[in-house]
Amino acid sequence: MQFTTQHFIALLPLLITSATLVLVMLAIAWKRNHSVTFGLSVVGLNLALLSLLPALGVTPIEVTPLLLVDKFACYYMALVLAATLACVTLIHAYLGGDSGKGYPGNREELYLLMLLSAAGGLVLVSAQHLAGLFIGLELLSVPTYGMIAYAFFNKRSLEAGIKYMVLSAAGSAFLLFGMALLYADSGNMTFATIGAKLAADGLPSMIVQIGVGMMLIGLAFKLSLVPFHLWTPDVYEGAPAPVSAFLATASKVAVFAVLLRLYQMSPAAAGGWLTDVMTVIAVASILIGNLLALLQNNLKRLLGYSSIAHFGYLLVALIASKGLAVEAIGVYLATYVLTSLGAFGVITLMSTPYSGRDADALFEYRGLFWRRPYLTAVLTVMMLSLAGIPLTAGFIGKFFVIAAGVEAHEWLLLGAMVIGSAIGVFYYLRVMVTMFMVEPNLQRRDADLHWAQRAGGIMLLLVALLTFVLGVYPQPLLGLVQLAVIGS
């Protein structure tokens, strides 16, 4: 095929992100400077976000058979880039300034790895071909192995990196085997053609059923859905806090977006049996995720189990798949990204300047209100939003998912969702109550006194404000989501 100017405009977000990571790599090779690396990363990601505006003008456009840049892809690109930008500012706060106490090793490579992973996410949300899906997924996943184990002097971080690498390889193997079986039956690798072929054949053959099932296992691992969730709490706890934030937001958003595209473009692959399997996975993820979160005394592990439940809620809308479902997923993912960034952002600021283990034990947050009231207010808003309390962004997301479930008459899933949400309120409230308790003679970990005047702190306050504003006035977000239609 012949490339035109329009193809390059459509690819601008990916091209700018790729150019930024090359520039960052060259800057590191020339002279190590933490501030310069941070500045280049932030400028590049902002330019990539701005380049979505001209890209929207040429959509939908097929850029090679592997990628389709449409409004749906642009919306999820914006989510991935915004989440990455927030995580990059958190990295700067986490690693400490150029002088004084901070991270003892080389700092700059963490930015490079995160930009590489973000580029993989951009490929993934545009993929309309099994090869594009796999390339995007591996480009997204491989840099995260290094990011998770970046705190090399912390054995938990190294353990988390090894665990994720081994299990991720197993998930990728399942995914590849499933793709091979689908290709063997349909003779094609584009989502739409596979869907059309399966629709023409009527009842899916055993090869197709096994292939789709194996692909589902590979993607369910990346989304940490039950029973493929066992890596999640250990990796969230071991990884540096900004990396946990990236895994919970940009990484999962990209994978869920491609799963949604696959589900919508190949509806025949989602036969009755697959819906039954996904219903079981959704109910198990909601109930097991929330019940295990109840038992946690570590905030990162609690957020890890909570994320399992949240993606169980998202499966409710995916299974509904008609009417409001695609909108509900768009709204829920945006609100979930905001809230998770805020929660992990507080952990990041509490864990700096860098000193061994992250401040993620719940007892370290006792009495935080009396020492850092504004930081407590931010975490309180995030917990309320995760619980889905009205006047927060989380409530809007949950409301749309429930509306999609009601529209599709998925009563079993809605029942599980109501029970899971009720359990969730308990442990989110426990975190909030802990921050207002006072206990004398307790070992304290505190955020820097001037945390709100630095890039990470400013970003955190903006996220908290946006969480509240979208809960009160969600119309701008709903307008964006309604435009983000697959193939438009």
Side-chain angles (χ1 to χ4, degrees), residues 40-129:
L40 285 172
S41 304
V42 167
V43 169
L45 288 168
N46 274 306
L47 287 174
L49 264 172
L50 288 172
S51 71
L52 285 165
L53 295 172
L56 277 168
V58 298
T59 56
I61 186 167
E62 188 179 275
V63 187
T64 80
L66 301 189
L67 303 178
L68 172 67
V69 179
D70 51 8
K71 288 187 173 67
F72 175 87
C74 287
Y75 175 76
Y76 286 100
M77 277 184 189
L79 269 187
V80 169
L81 288 167
T84 307
L85 185 58
C87 292
V88 162
T89 61
L90 290 178
I91 287 173
H92 187 259
Y94 183 81
L95 296 179
D98 285 321
S99 60
K101 194 178 176 188
Y103 181 78
N106 289 332
R107 306 169 183 189
E108 293 79 14
E109 281 82 1
L110 190 51
Y111 297 98
L112 182 60
L113 289 169
M114 192 165 279
L115 287 167
L116 267 168
S117 207
L122 299 184
V123 172
L124 201 54
V125 299
S126 315
Q128 60 157 356
H129 190 281

Side-chain angles (χ1 to χ4, degrees), residues 227-248:
F228 314 104
H229 67 290
L230 296 174
W231 62 273
T232 314
D234 290 345
V235 170
Y236 275 39
E237 184 186 3
V243 177
S244 299
F246 183 82
L247 277 173

Side-chain angles (χ1 to χ4, degrees), residues 181 185 203-213 273:
L181 291 175
D185 187 84
L203 193 69
S205 66
M206 184 58 72
I207 288 181
V208 169
Q209 292 186 31
I210 295 170
V212 171
W273 68 275

Side-chain angles (χ1 to χ4, degrees), residues 294-330:
L294 272 178
L295 310 173
Q296 303 308 311
N297 289 315
N298 182 295
L299 190 52
K300 275 196 197 169
R301 291 180 76 86
L302 183 148
L303 289 169
Y305 281 119
S306 157
S307 80
I308 295 168
H310 282 284
F311 278 85
Y313 300 149
L314 273 164
L315 280 186
V316 175
L318 187 71
I319 292 163
S321 80
K322 302 252 183 339
L324 269 176
V326 178
E327 281 176 38
I329 289 168

Side-chain angles (χ1 to χ4, degrees), residues 364-396:
E364 290 172 315
Y365 290 80
R366 281 203 169 178
L368 184 66
F369 172 73
W370 310 105
R371 308 193 300 274
R372 300 286 183 273
Y374 295 113
L375 202 58
T376 303
V378 171
L379 191 52
T380 302
V381 169
M382 296 310 141
M383 291 297 126
L384 290 170
S385 184
L386 284 169
I389 303 297
L391 299 185
T392 61
F395 169 74
I396 302 299

Side-chain angles (χ1 to χ4, degrees), residues 174-183 185 205-218 262 269 273-274:
F174 273 104
L175 190 71
L176 270 177
F177 208 121
M179 288 177 181
L181 291 175
L182 274 183
Y183 179 66
D185 187 84
S205 66
M206 184 58 72
I207 288 181
V208 169
Q209 292 186 31
I210 295 170
V212 171
M214 292 185 90
M215 280 189 68
L216 181 63
I217 289 171
L262 186 61
W273 68 275
L274 185 64

Side-chain angles (χ1 to χ4, degrees), residues 4 25 146 293 379 409:
T4 63
M25 186 162 51
L379 191 52
H409 306 297

